[in-house]
Amino acid sequence: MGRNPQDNRLSMKAYEWIRDEILANRLHEGEPLSENRLAQELAISRTPIREALRNLEQDGFVKSVPGKGAFVAEVSREDVVEIYELRLLLEPLAARTAVGRVPEEAVDALEADWRDLRDRAVRGEAVEYEEVHLLDRRSHGLLNEHSSNRKLRQILSLLHSQIERFQFLSARSLADVRDTAAQHLEICAVLRRRDPEALARLLEEHIRRSEDYILSRYLRR
């Protein structure tokens, strides 16, 4: 017998809410995730909450401890190193195959948004971590989704949730929004020139800098 579509919708709603709370650091590493409390918070039953927590555990956001329950998964140095090793291997490859396939209007829109974010930072306006994260995610997603390698797109899609958490940590760790905006504007300029090797080199440098930010600032304990 198949699952109730309503249960599927509620489970996805719970998944997205809990994931976003973890990404925004409103649910902290190591914090217990009570099914009863979450069910009350979202005004749904415990069944979709339980399913959401199982899926979040598969995606690396939650850790289940037998006899104790579910907790927000902590991020270790090993986690960061392993994910960034994969990013360095896969994302530049995806970019090489995507460079001639990304629509010009998509590059225009992305560049305009990074310029706007940079200009706001230069004027001294507050820029939220969530904004940097969403724009960074969109930038990398644009390259990944236009890769001509179907298998590569599938692999990156499977890794998406884990990569996203580290992208958000990188956004939280950045000392200067202008610096990350400058990196992405340079990537946009090379993408506009349709230069695959230059794009791959810039992307590798950007990913390495993102990893360094997390390891040296976020995980400096």
Side-chain angles (χ1 to χ4, degrees):
M1 185 174 178
R3 290 187 57 194
N4 187 324
Q6 177 69 3
D7 287 342
N8 289 335
R9 287 193 293 271
L10 292 175
S11 176
M12 180 57 66
K13 172 187 174 182
Y15 176 100
E16 292 175 349
W17 187 88
I18 298 167
R19 180 201 61 192
D20 291 348
E21 292 295 291
I22 293 172
L23 286 174
N25 205 36
R26 290 187 288 267
L27 287 173
H28 305 287
E29 290 181 39
E31 184 172 337
L33 296 168
S34 162
E35 290 182 10
N36 287 332
R37 181 174 62 82
L38 290 169
Q40 291 175 1
E41 182 81 26
L42 293 171
I44 60 179
S45 72
R46 291 173 57 188
T47 300
I49 294 292
R50 194 174 300 118
E51 178 68 17
L53 291 174
R54 279 197 294 266
N55 291 331
L56 286 160
E57 183 170 17
Q58 290 177 355
D59 289 340
F61 289 99
V62 167
K63 180 179 180 180
S64 180
V65 180
K68 294 186 177 179
F71 299 82
V72 177
E74 296 183 353
V75 176
S76 70
R77 180 172 290 268
E78 182 181 16
D79 292 330
V80 175
V81 170
E82 288 180 351
I83 286 295
Y84 273 87
E85 282 180 349
L86 290 173
R87 291 191 70 185
L88 281 166
L89 285 171
L90 300 176
E91 291 192 41
L93 176 58
R96 284 188 182 94
T97 70
V99 69
R101 297 162 56 93
V102 178
E104 193 75 20
E105 57 269 24
V107 181
D108 291 342
L110 190 64
E111 186 176 54
D113 287 343
W114 277 115
R115 287 188 186 281
D116 177 67
L117 189 145
R118 180 201 60 188
D119 293 346
R120 286 164 51 205
V122 168
R123 292 194 298 268
E125 298 178 17
V127 178
E128 298 295 330
Y129 295 135
E130 287 89 344
E131 291 184 80
V132 182
H133 161 64
L134 289 174
L135 198 48
D136 181 61
R137 183 179 70 178
R138 190 172 122 212
S139 301
H140 291 271
L142 185 67
L143 295 173
N144 296 344
E145 72 189 33
H146 283 92
S147 169
S148 63
N149 188 314
R150 182 173 57 87
K151 295 295 185 184
L152 183 54
R153 292 199 307 270
Q154 290 173 345
I155 292 169
L156 285 167
S157 177
L158 289 171
L159 289 170
H160 169 76
S161 293
Q162 294 186 52
I163 289 173
E164 183 179 21
R165 189 174 190 190
F166 295 113
Q167 285 176 318
F168 193 85
L169 291 180
S170 177
R172 283 172 51 193
S173 301
L174 292 175
D176 189 347
V177 172
R178 290 171 294 183
D179 178 60
T180 194
Q183 291 178 48
H184 283 92
L185 286 170
E186 192 173 3
I187 289 171
C188 287
V190 170
L191 180 56
R192 192 181 298 284
R193 296 203 306 268
R194 310 298 180 178
D195 185 335
E197 294 308 315
L199 179 61
R201 286 195 300 272
L202 276 178
L203 197 57
E204 287 175 4
E205 180 183 349
H206 171 68
I207 292 170
R208 290 186 191 280
R209 290 177 72 172
S210 173
E211 180 182 20
D212 287 343
Y213 273 125
I214 295 174
L215 292 176
S216 65
R217 303 187 186 206
Y218 182 78
L219 287 178
R220 187 175 58 194
R221 299 171 180 167

